[in-house]
């Protein structure tokens, strides 16, 4: 492991030419030793060309997939390449506040947890605020996470050794949610910082924007985690109730 790198930031990108510069620059503004792994998943626009302007082969590394692999496997490529103590995930259409990674590193190093997330502010596709902050609980248990996914992927800081133990799977479901559940199931509660260090763009093309499709994926996660029909229906009902509270409160 390169002792000079604290965080390996993993940024999958697909047709994100309009947004990726802002995402990359928000990473470069962070004040911890880091590397940024940008994985272009065979974009048909100029995503790779924009990312290449920042790539130096050391701090910013551009990886271009030979074929479209999907977001889960693209993140896995980054996890395999990561050399930092921690990995952080940032989607190419989201961006961070300055100081995010430093605050999370301090939080994790003062705890027994292996995963830290933050609150997020919802943004329109054009980058303007929707004046809505989704808070992060101070502590997130496995039982709590089953009832609602309170861990935004682009806010996560996770020990690299743990990420390399599990990786992401099942693009057709909520691949990040599965990972958080597996991590908490083995390693105990995650911790949250209730400050919106993440600006989360609500892009129209995101798979979670289709509520029916997202609901089917959520139910599929419970089945994948080994729950029977009755238990899956119970947790899905809790997820639906908490989802309404989260976005309408």
């Amino acid at each position: 492991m390169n002792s000079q790198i604290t965080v390996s930031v993993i940024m999958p990108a697909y047709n994100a030419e309009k947004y990726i510069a802002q995402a990359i620059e928000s990473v470069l503004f962070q004040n911890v030793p880091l590397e940024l792994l940008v994985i272009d998943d065979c974009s048909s626009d100029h995503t790779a060309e924009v990312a290449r302007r920042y790539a130096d082969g050391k701090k910013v590394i551009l990886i271009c997939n030979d074929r479209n692999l999907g977001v889960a496997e693209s993140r896995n490529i980054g996890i395999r390449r990561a050399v930092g103590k921690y990995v952080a995930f940032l989607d190419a259409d989201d961006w961070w506040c300055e100081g995010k990674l430093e605050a999370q590193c301090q939080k994790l190093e003062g705890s027994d947890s292996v995963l830290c997330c933050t609150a997020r502010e919802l943004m329109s596709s054009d980058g303007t605020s929707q004046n809505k902050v989704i808070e992060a609980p101070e502590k997130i248990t496995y039982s709590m996470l089953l009832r609602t996914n309170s861990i935004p992927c682009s806010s996560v800081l996770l020990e690299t050794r743990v990420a390399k133990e599990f990786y992401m799977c099942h693009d057709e479901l909520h691949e990040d949610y599965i990972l958080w559940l597996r991590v908490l199931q083995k390693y105990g509660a995650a911790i949250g910082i209730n400050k919106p260090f993440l600006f989360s763009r609500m892009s129209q093309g995101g798979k979670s924007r289709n509520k029916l499709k997202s609901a089917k994926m959520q139910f599929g996660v419970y089945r994948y985690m080994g729950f029977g029909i009755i238990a899956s229906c119970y947790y899905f009902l809790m997820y639906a109730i908490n989802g309404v509270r989260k976005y309408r409160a």
Side-chain angles (χ1 to χ4, degrees):
M1 178 181 293
N2 187 335
S3 61
Q4 300 302 308
I5 296 176
T6 302
V7 180
S8 296
V9 181
I10 298 169
M11 182 183 294
Y14 179 73
N15 288 353
E17 65 175 356
K18 294 191 295 184
Y19 309 128
I20 194 170
Q22 184 177 25
I24 290 173
E25 289 176 9
S26 78
V27 173
L28 298 179
F29 287 146
Q30 300 298 309
N31 53 346
V32 301
L34 59 80
E35 64 174 353
L36 170 59
L37 304 169
V38 180
I39 303 95
D40 177 62
D41 196 21
C42 288
S43 297
S44 58
D45 64 1
H46 299 290
T47 296
E49 287 86 339
V50 175
R52 195 168 284 116
R53 298 173 195 163
Y54 298 89
D56 58 9
K58 295 179 181 179
K59 187 167 186 176
V60 181
I61 301 166
L62 174 62
I63 302 166
C64 295
N65 294 343
D66 294 330
R67 58 188 176 86
N68 184 271
L69 299 175
V71 68
E73 186 54 32
S74 293
R75 290 194 187 113
N76 288 342
I77 289 170
I79 293 171
R80 293 186 191 102
R81 290 280 297 268
V83 298
K85 179 179 180 180
Y86 302 105
V87 293
F89 301 100
L90 179 61
D91 289 345
D93 56 352
D94 295 334
W95 70 100
W96 290 336
C97 275
E98 191 172 352
K100 172 190 181 288
L101 294 181
E102 181 180 33
Q104 288 184 290
C105 287
Q106 292 175 351
K107 188 83 169 178
L108 278 179
E109 288 169 9
S111 77
D112 295 325
S113 296
V114 300
L115 189 155
C116 178
C117 65
T118 77
R120 59 180 172 138
E121 182 174 352
L122 302 185
M123 313 299 288
S124 299
S125 59
D126 63 2
T128 58
S129 177
Q130 295 186 347
N131 298 312
K132 174 67 176 177
V133 171
I134 306 296
E135 297 187 344
E138 183 176 341
K139 179 179 180 181
I140 305 166
T141 66
Y142 176 69
S143 178
M144 290 168 61
L145 194 64
L146 284 170
R147 290 165 170 79
T148 181
N149 184 7
S150 50
I151 301 179
C153 186
S154 286
S155 81
V156 164
L157 187 71
L158 173 66
E159 287 192 17
T160 301
R161 65 177 180 88
V162 176
K164 290 179 183 287
E165 179 179 352
F166 293 107
Y167 292 97
M168 290 197 179
C169 62
H170 289 285
D171 258 335
E172 77 280 6
L173 303 175
H174 293 299
E175 72 288 330
D176 55 333
Y177 184 40
I178 290 173
L179 176 57
W180 318 147
L181 285 168
R182 295 173 73 193
V183 169
L184 268 59
Q185 189 177 43
K186 179 171 181 179
Y187 288 98
I191 52 179
I193 299 176
N194 195 25
K195 179 176 178 179
F197 279 112
L198 168 64
F199 295 108
S200 182
R201 196 186 306 266
M202 306 302 285
S203 300
Q204 293 301 317
K207 65 183 182 181
S208 294
R209 296 287 281 171
N210 183 319
K211 298 304 181 185
L212 179 59
K213 181 178 180 181
S214 182
K216 290 179 178 178
M217 291 191 295
Q218 186 74 16
F219 191 81
V221 168
Y222 297 133
R223 297 294 284 154
Y224 172 81
M225 292 298 295
F227 292 102
I229 294 293
I230 294 175
S232 296
C233 288
Y234 168 77
Y235 285 120
F236 180 80
L237 178 61
M238 294 298 101
Y239 151 80
I241 292 171
N242 285 313
V244 170
R245 290 174 177 167
K246 182 190 300 185
Y247 290 99
R248 291 187 180 177

